Every structure is written in C-alpha cells, then in structure tokens.
Amino acid sequence: CIYSSLKKALSISPEIAVKKLIGAADRKINLSAYRLNDLEKTTYSTEKYFSGQKLFNYFTIPDKSLLDMHKYLIDIYANNCLDHKFDLLGSGLINNHFKIVMIEQETKQSDNHFKDDSDLKLIVYNLNKYNIPESKKIAENIDKDYKLIDWQIDSKCACFWSKNTWYKDVQYGHIPGPDIKMPWEIGRMQHLPMIAYAYSLSENENKYSDEFRNIVLDFISMNPPRFGTQWMTSMDVGLRAVSMLTAYDMFLSAGVQFDEEFNSVFIRSIYEHGLHIVNNLEWSDGMRGNHYLANISSLVFIALYLPVDNETSQWLAFAVQEMSREIFAQFYKDGGNFEGSMNYHCFSAEMLFYSLALLKALPNEKVDALDNVNIKNFKCKRQLYDNRRQLYKIEDSEIFFSAEFEQMMLKILKFVGKSIKPTGEMPQFGDNDNGRFIKLFPTFSLDQDNNLFEHINNRLSLINLGSLVLNDEKIKSDNMSVEIETDIISKLLSIENTPNSKEYRTYPTDLNKETTCTAFDDLGLFVYKNKNYYLAIRCGANGQNGKGGHDHNDKLSFELNVSGCDFIVDPGTYVYTSYPEKRNLYRSTDMHNTLCIKGLEQNTWETESGDDLFWMNKDVSFPHLFFKDDTYFEAEQCGYGKPHRRSVKFSESSLMFKDICAIQAEKRIMLHLSPGTEIIEQDNGSVRIINNDTQLLISSSDGEFLVEDYQYSPSYGKLIDAKRIVLVSSITEIEWKIEIFQSNKSKGTD
C-alpha cells in the first residue's frame, strides 16, 4: 500500500500533494470530534421547525393521454414497487425484505435480527439510542400493513451493513461479493416518479400515494442522518433528495393532499439532506468529478424547493456559483467529459441540464432571494464569492449565465448528439455504472418472459432535455421516455408542447443519408456515420487529469453498428469493488476491440488497495489521432513500449483496417460481438456473422481467426453470454476487412 500511495503521490503536483496531506490530517482530527458528537445525541435536525411550511413547486404530472399510452408498463413497474420488488444493478426482480449476513470489519452471522417486519416499526432495532425516540415517532405514522424495506442490504448476495455504523466508518470492498452500490441504488429512490404516474392513471387510488408516503417515512425513520450506508456519499444523498422532491411534486400536481405530520417530516428530511451535502462536499484541490457535480446540482434542487431564508439562499447562491465554474473543470473544450467515460458524460450532462431547467423556472421569491443573499457566515468548507455576478446575472426576475457557459452547454449536448448510436445508446467506452440524475420515465420494453427490461444506456431523453432547455433545433423520436419527458420539461419551462406531435428535439439518431465524420480531439473520439453503418473509435488520454479512474484500456478500440444493429461492442464494466479481479478484467486491454499482446497492458494499475480500482498509473500510451476525414482514419498509442498504429479506410459498404506494431510477439486483434450477433461460417481466413438479416464478412490473409466465449455486460452488474472473434497473427502489419451484405429484407424489399 505504501508503494501504491507513493506512486499516486508522484503522479500529482507537489503543491496538490501537500494540500491533500494537510487536508487528510485536518479531516482525521475533525472526524473524531464529529463522530463523538453524533454518538452522544440525536442526529435528526432540532434547530429548524417546518410545521405548517410548504415547499415550492416545479414539476407537474405528465399529460394523462401520454401516460395512457404506456399504462401497461407503468402498472407493471408500480405494482412491483408496491411489492418492494426491485431490479437493482443486475439483481433481477427480487425483494428487499430478507437479511442474512452483516458486513463490518469482518463477516459474521447476525443472530439477533428481527424476525417479523411488523415489529420493526415498534422496536426500531439497532439504531443509535439517541435517535430511537424520534425514529419511533416517525415510524408510528407508517401504515400497519406496510412491509418495511431493508435499506442496508445487498439483496444479490443476501448481505447487509449495520444501520448503526457512523457514516464515515462504514467499510466495503474488503470482502469479495457484497456490493455497496446495491443499497445505494435502492436508496436513490429513483422509482418514485413512476408510482406517481400510476396514481394518476388509477383514478387516484390511494394505494400509490400511500406507498409513496410509507416508503419515505420508512427511509427517514430507519436511516437517521449520518448513520449507515445511505449517508456515506453526498452524491447519493443528493440524488435521493432530487427523486423524493420530484415525485412529491408529481403527487401534489395530481391532487394528493398529504397530512401535515408527513409534510413536516418530509420537509425536515429534505433540509437534512441539504445540510449533509453542504457539510460533506465531495470536493478536492486536485481533481473533482461527477460526485461533486452531483453535490452542487442536487443542492440547486434542494435550495429551490425549501422555504426562503438566508441559509437556503446561501445554498442556492453557492450551488449556482459552483455549477458555473465546475462545468469548465469537468468538460473539455470539445464538449466531452474529462472522466473519459461516455456514460459518465451523460450522467454529468443530466445533472447540468436538469439544474438549468429548474433555474429557468425560478419563481420571483427565489430570484429575489438569490439576488439579495447575504454571503456572510456561510457555513461550508468552500467559499461563497462576492464576484459570483461575473458568472451569472439577474435581470427582469430571470437568471442569465455567461455566453461561455451557454456555449459549453451546447457543446456538451452536441457531443451526445454526434456520438449516439442508431439504437439511441452511447458507445460503452469507459465505465458504466447505470448512473442517472433523475428517472422521470425510464425506457422499457418487455422481455420474452413478459418482465420489464430497462434500456439503461438509451440517451434520447437527454438529447431531448438538453435541446428543450437550450431552445435548440428539433428531432423526431418515437421513444416513450422522450414523449413523457417532453411534456414534463415543456410544462416546467412554459414551452407550448403538443403531446402527440412528432416534432421533438434535436439530432437525427438514424443512420445519415450522407456520410459524416466527427472528431473530438480533446477527449479522443472519432465517429463515422453513413447510410449503412456507424463506427466509433476511442483514442484518448486517461481521463480525470490522468488519474484514469473511470477509464479503460480501450485505446484504438471501436464499436460498430450496421443497419441499426450492434455487431461489435465494448464489453462494458460489470462491477466495481465487489469483485476486484472482474473490475480489472473488464477494464483490461484484452476486453476491448483493439490489438492485444500477451502480458502487456496499454496502461497499468496497482492491486494493493480498494482505491487502486479507480486509479491507473501514469499514462504511457500517449494516444494520438493523426488523420480523420470521411474516407480515412489513422491514430496510434504507445502503451506497449512501441507504437501500435491503426488505420481504417471507409467505403459505403466496407471497412479496411490495418494494424501496425513492430513488437516481435503474437498479436491478438479482439472483436467482441453483441449477444444478438451469430457466427454462421468460419474458416482460418474469414468469419461470417449475422444480426437481423444483415451479414458481415470479416476476412484477412495475415492471420488465423479463432472464436472464443466471453460475457458481455450491457449495464452494471449484468452479464450475457456472447462470442468474440480473435484474429491471431505474428507479423508487424496486419490487414483485415469488414464487408457488409444486406439482405433484401433489410433493404425493405421482397
């Protein structure tokens, strides 16, 4: 661990390293005092009282005619929620009512857990004793027939963490199997808006509004602030608050009138969420990422919803200030996100666009509060600046951001529009952990067993959101999430919208009639589209300013979609801390569509600590794009010690690849097929594959083709059996070709 820590320290500037050491020492001293304070008194807020107060309102329930079009799917989803059956990060549809193993410093059997859920409301077992009186008081408002959720459980492996562990002392990753992201995922409560839709469609059946009320009280009573897994990361705290507020708004707009006791508990909890974020910002001198962006974006929501006072106005001013600054730290000039991950780009973009949407809907009271906020005595480790007006201005009861900010937002949106595949999904370069800021309406289909399948990576709704917020051009889409979210965001922004109109917003996602190519040089991404196929090639430096936390060894790797079907795909991420060896496998060079050499990685990492799972050693690949136009692409990386150069010649129905590497060793060119792609012919010099009546012939006279099994991860925690093609060769220049043969059926003729 010392060696690993030393290498990391040497990878950052001495100034930042010193600041980090001082900061770590200060935190250690302060945490001892904070821990002692929380262990000796209740952590529920006692300083503010919200009885009789109301939250501001922003979101309204979607047009019922739109919801009716998807009633079958909404009912299935909502009724699963009523039964507390959740599909979390590849778990499949399972409930969260059982508990078997405790995760602490070590694994141990729990023989003193409650046997009957009904007792839980009365006993409030295993909470900090100073929180029990308030927890019991809240729990008494939960309906007697409601089954409580275990908010600390990883239901995939039936393991759970203690709810009585102070949030900074919770440990994870030290035992193979249990995944801390499982309780975090259910704790984000991103299923709540769909329950509000079911209420609207059911002619106001109370079972749905009761479920919302009960599940919120359940969470608040069983998760006192700063105890258990649900308060570990401020990002997850913020995402939960955003989902709770959005759903609460939807229910109110549908006519629900919650009792005053619930309203007071709910508003106080939202305040506690905001207070926790302000006191636990995931900020760093050296590098901040999506966690900090989630902190400030969530704080925008919390501050805009809570009643006006100087504290919440300070939160709002701070969040707007930081959002205005952080966008330039976390996005490149070409619009790509500095994390080096396509899905993290979308996650971060969602935060910005939803926050900006809400800020464009500011009521006059909030505008005045923001304009006249007293910045003195701001209780936060970050500063609220006097010169924040250089970042934004307020005129005629509206907030206006700088031209540079607006231009960057447009670049971020265009990056998605130019990169998105014909399927509506982004290529899976870099990590994918299913992160979403809000799930206003997830994209679903039914699988062969009539169960809901969520299309985690579909990003049409993001394009739609961004173009509505920026008042950009229009797009056609039949995607149901786009329809629903168009209605919601249009109402929020007071934009006239016809629910059944096909004139949605911005970039064409079908294959272009004309050939286009787009290069994002800062990120290192090249996208080529013509009427037959889509190709995206990744060739960029490690993200996060070189740390590479969410990067993979995917230099010169690519994804290929032909006739709207995925043929060659990035294998994905699978997991993070629960299985370190799997984490490292899925970010290795061997699991990407590039040239591999046994025993070599494009970039290396240590394996001594959990932090190593989100860190790469100093980037030695030096990736570089040389030529790119609508006929030819060429780039190289040097991670093997000698350059590996890849070129691609484009034609209407074929791609000619050349891989050059002077290393004298066996080379393996990996081609990972999508699960829907089948191999129909194979010999030493070629492989023929098919997907939805479109055939590809992959051929080469410079090596031998092998077929291997692998497991494709379409989303976090999920694996699907698939095949990969391997072109094996020992020569220094390897040429190979992909030819497209479309059937008459796929061309739309008999």
Side-chain angles (χ1 to χ4, degrees):
C1 289
I2 295 175
Y3 173 74
S4 176
S5 299
L6 182 60
K7 290 192 75 172
K8 291 169 187 172
L10 292 174
S11 70
I12 58 180
S13 70
E15 181 184 0
I16 296 297
V18 170
K19 286 184 178 180
K20 283 182 173 292
L21 286 172
I22 295 173
D26 287 343
R27 283 194 299 274
K28 190 170 183 179
I29 295 170
N30 292 332
L31 284 179
S32 297
Y34 292 148
R35 180 189 295 107
L36 185 62
N37 185 65
D38 282 348
L39 292 174
E40 293 187 346
K41 67 177 185 178
T42 181
T43 56
Y44 288 104
S45 176
T46 58
E47 297 180 2
K48 287 203 174 188
Y49 300 92
F50 295 95
S51 179
Q53 297 197 55
K54 293 183 178 181
L55 296 172
F56 284 82
N57 303 111
Y58 299 93
F59 290 102
T60 55
I61 203 83
D63 188 279
K64 194 172 180 182
S65 64
L66 281 177
L67 295 177
D68 269 326
M69 295 166 60
H70 311 295
K71 185 178 188 305
Y72 183 69
L73 295 177
I74 293 171
D75 285 347
I76 292 175
Y77 186 94
N79 288 319
N80 284 337
C81 292
L82 292 183
D83 294 334
H84 295 167
K85 293 179 179 178
F86 304 103
D87 185 354
L88 303 171
L89 303 177
S91 68
L93 203 60
I94 54 179
N95 68 49
N96 277 44
H97 293 148
F98 59 90
K99 308 95 180 166
I100 299 175
V101 180
M102 180 82 74
I103 305 301
E104 284 297 340
Q105 305 293 338
E106 58 186 19
T107 304
K108 57 185 178 181
Q109 293 296 321
S110 174
D111 57 4
N112 56 355
H113 205 59
F114 19 80
K115 304 293 189 249
D116 185 349
D117 279 322
S118 64
D119 294 337
L120 187 54
K121 286 172 283 189
L122 301 175
I123 299 172
V124 195
Y125 182 81
N126 204 25
L127 295 180
N128 172 280
K129 68 178 182 178
Y130 296 102
N131 282 321
I132 288 178
E134 183 63 18
S135 179
K136 281 186 175 181
K137 180 181 176 183
I138 297 168
E140 286 170 359
N141 291 285
I142 301 174
D143 293 339
K144 288 189 170 74
D145 59 350
Y146 171 84
K147 289 186 177 182
L148 288 101
I149 290 173
D150 190 331
W151 300 98
Q152 310 297 329
I153 197 170
D154 174 354
S155 48
K156 281 204 288 191
C157 66
C159 299
F160 68 94
W161 284 258
S162 167
K163 64 173 67 66
N164 193 33
T165 303
W166 194 58
Y167 74 116
K168 290 289 188 181
D169 294 335
V170 175
Q171 299 207 1
Y172 63 94
H174 53 291
I175 302 170
D179 194 340
I180 192 70
K181 285 180 67 62
M182 290 291 287
W184 288 350
E185 189 72 13
I186 185 63
R188 292 180 179 185
M189 296 225 227
Q190 293 185 324
H191 59 284
L192 293 180
M194 291 286 281
I195 303 176
Y197 306 152
Y199 173 84
S200 177
L201 286 173
S202 67
E203 301 299 332
N204 305 339
E205 279 191 44
N206 289 335
K207 66 179 181 180
Y208 296 113
S209 54
D210 289 346
E211 173 64 18
F212 172 78
R213 181 183 178 280
N214 286 328
I215 203 170
V216 169
L217 292 173
D218 175 358
F219 182 89
I220 296 171
S221 64
M222 299 306 150
N223 295 275
R226 299 188 295 286
F227 280 93
T229 61
Q230 299 298 347
W231 296 92
M232 281 184 64
T233 67
S234 294
M235 176 179 73
D236 291 285
V237 171
L239 298 184
R240 175 170 55 252
V242 169
S243 293
M244 289 167 62
L245 286 166
T246 305
Y248 183 77
D249 239 1
M250 297 286 187
F251 275 109
L252 293 184
S253 72
V256 176
Q257 295 183 348
F258 293 109
D259 58 276
E260 186 55 41
E261 181 69 23
F262 172 75
N263 285 332
S264 296
V265 171
F266 183 83
I267 296 173
R268 183 183 70 175
S269 182
I270 295 299
Y271 170 75
E272 289 166 343
H273 279 67
L275 190 64
H276 184 89
I277 293 169
V278 170
N279 290 331
N280 295 273
L281 290 170
E282 295 170 279
W283 183 89
S284 167
D285 272 305
M287 188 272 297
R288 287 87 60 197
N290 64 90
H291 277 243
Y292 185 59
L293 197 59
N295 297 168
I296 58 181
S297 298
S298 302
L299 206 55
V300 167
F301 271 68
I302 292 169
L304 284 177
Y305 269 98
L306 285 172
V308 172
D309 65 18
N310 194 57
E311 184 178 26
T312 59
S313 298
Q314 286 180 337
W315 291 358
L316 179 58
F318 172 74
V320 175
Q321 165 192 290
E322 292 298 280
M323 189 176 82
S324 305
R325 293 154 54 98
E326 204 64 23
I327 187 174
F328 299 104
Q330 296 199 28
F331 289 87
Y332 295 125
K333 291 181 180 179
D334 62 14
N337 186 271
F338 90 128
E339 303 257 15
S341 157
M342 304 297 280
N343 280 281
Y344 274 82
H345 173 98
C346 295
F347 182 38
S348 297
E350 277 188 350
M351 301 176 198
L352 291 170
F353 281 113
Y354 277 117
S355 299
L356 189 56
L358 218 59
L359 288 167
K360 286 180 177 285
L362 280 177
N364 289 338
E365 285 178 80
K366 286 292 182 181
V367 175
D368 292 341
L370 180 61
D371 198 22
N372 299 300
V373 62
N374 181 357
I375 68 171
K376 293 181 179 179
N377 301 318
F378 178 49
K379 297 177 181 179
C380 179
K381 70 177 182 180
R382 298 288 297 137
Q383 189 175 351
L384 188 55
Y385 295 101
D386 280 322
N387 66 346
R388 64 190 186 282
R389 297 297 174 79
Q390 296 175 11
L391 304 171
Y392 65 88
K393 61 182 179 179
I394 296 173
E395 293 180 359
D396 300 325
S397 297
E398 287 188 58
I399 183 170
F400 296 92
F401 291 89
S402 68
E404 293 79 9
F405 179 90
E406 295 281 351
Q407 188 63 32
M408 179 59 78
M409 291 292 287
L410 183 59
K411 288 181 180 180
I412 292 168
L413 177 62
K414 285 187 174 181
F415 179 90
V416 181
K418 297 291 186 181
S419 305
I420 201 166
K421 298 192 290 187
T423 59
E425 299 179 343
M426 294 287 275
Q428 274 202 116
F429 299 134
D431 278 343
N432 176 11
D433 75 341
N434 298 13
R436 296 291 302 274
F437 186 59
I438 311 176
K439 289 188 178 182
L440 286 183
F441 201 100
T443 303
F444 290 112
S445 61
L446 292 174
D447 65 19
Q448 58 187 8
D449 298 321
N450 220 34
N451 294 320
L452 288 180
F453 175 78
E454 183 177 352
H455 297 272
I456 295 291
N457 301 323
N458 189 291
R459 299 298 183 173
L460 292 178
S461 60
L462 171 57
I463 295 176
N464 194 59
L465 165 69
S467 38
L468 281 166
V469 172
L470 298 180
N471 194 25
D472 199 26
E473 302 168 359
K474 297 189 175 182
I475 182 174
K476 291 182 179 179
S477 175
D478 295 322
N479 183 281
M480 61 179 157
S481 67
V482 174
E483 295 173 352
I484 300 292
E485 294 192 30
T486 293
D487 189 63
I488 295 171
I489 302 301
S490 295
K491 288 175 180 175
L492 174 67
L493 299 173
S494 300
I495 297 173
E496 187 175 344
N497 177 58
T498 306
N500 293 319
S501 169
K502 295 301 177 189
E503 292 189 43
Y504 297 128
R505 302 242 163 191
T506 191
Y507 308 98
T509 56
D510 56 329
L511 288 167
N512 298 333
K513 292 182 180 179
E514 296 182 359
T515 299
T516 63
C517 64
T518 308
F520 298 96
D521 292 297
D522 296 331
L523 179 71
L525 178 72
F526 176 81
V527 181
Y528 177 94
K529 302 178 185 179
N530 68 18
K531 65 181 182 180
N532 289 321
Y533 61 88
Y534 161 105
L535 177 79
I537 305 177
R538 173 82 168 105
C539 190
N542 286 349
Q544 296 182 339
N545 303 333
K547 179 182 177 183
H550 290 300
D551 246 307
H552 290 188
N553 277 345
D554 55 10
K555 297 4 174 184
L556 301 179
S557 183
F558 69 95
E559 286 205 20
L560 177 65
N561 179 288
V562 183
S563 301
C565 296
D566 285 331
F567 275 83
I568 298 174
V569 294
D570 185 288
T573 300
Y574 184 39
V575 290
Y576 286 163
T577 61
S578 56
Y579 294 105
E581 71 284 358
K582 293 290 187 182
R583 161 64 172 161
N584 288 330
L585 171 65
Y586 276 82
R587 61 175 178 157
S588 70
T589 311
D590 193 60
M591 289 294 280
H592 294 89
N593 303 311
T594 188
L595 182 146
C596 302
I597 298 175
K598 187 175 181 179
L600 297 180
E601 287 285 351
Q602 293 176 345
N603 286 290
T604 60
W605 51 75
E606 305 302 321
T607 57
E608 297 181 15
S609 69
D611 189 43
D612 290 328
L613 298 175
F614 299 96
W615 202 299
M616 287 186 177
N617 294 327
K618 186 176 180 180
D619 193 347
V620 295
S621 62
F622 307 114
H624 186 70
L625 277 68
F626 292 108
F627 307 105
K628 59 269 181 186
D629 58 31
D630 59 3
T631 63
Y632 186 73
F633 165 88
E634 186 173 355
E636 75 173 20
Q637 64 89 16
C638 299
Y640 302 142
K642 292 183 179 180
H644 162 218
R645 181 171 294 205
R646 169 166 281 180
S647 62
V648 188
K649 291 182 180 179
F650 306 106
S651 66
E652 187 174 293
S653 298
S654 67
L655 301 95
M656 177 64 76
F657 289 78
K658 179 186 285 188
D659 287 288
I660 302 174
C661 184
I663 294 176
Q664 298 300 315
E666 181 181 89
K667 304 170 183 68
R668 289 163 54 89
I669 296 173
M670 318 300 292
L671 301 173
H672 294 85
L673 305 183
S674 70
T677 301
E678 298 179 31
I679 297 172
I680 54 176
E681 289 180 13
Q682 177 195 354
D683 58 38
N684 288 344
S686 66
V687 180
R688 188 177 294 272
I689 58 179
I690 188 170
N691 191 337
N692 196 29
D693 298 312
T694 295
Q695 295 186 25
L696 303 187
L697 179 65
I698 305 172
S699 60
S700 176
S701 58
D702 291 337
E704 178 184 2
F705 284 99
L706 305 177
V707 174
E708 299 176 347
D709 294 323
Y710 87 101
Q711 289 185 300
Y712 170 64
S713 178
S715 57
Y716 188 94
K718 190 167 186 176
L719 293 176
I720 302 173
D721 291 337
K723 300 287 185 182
R724 68 181 184 184
I725 298 169
V726 185
L727 174 57
V728 182
S729 179
S730 296
I731 65 176
T732 58
E733 293 191 16
I734 308 168
E735 293 188 354
W736 52 284
K737 188 176 185 180
I738 299 177
E739 297 173 88
I740 300 169
F741 299 93
Q742 294 181 326
S743 69
N744 288 335
K745 180 179 178 181
S746 67
K747 292 179 180 178
T749 59
D750 294 329

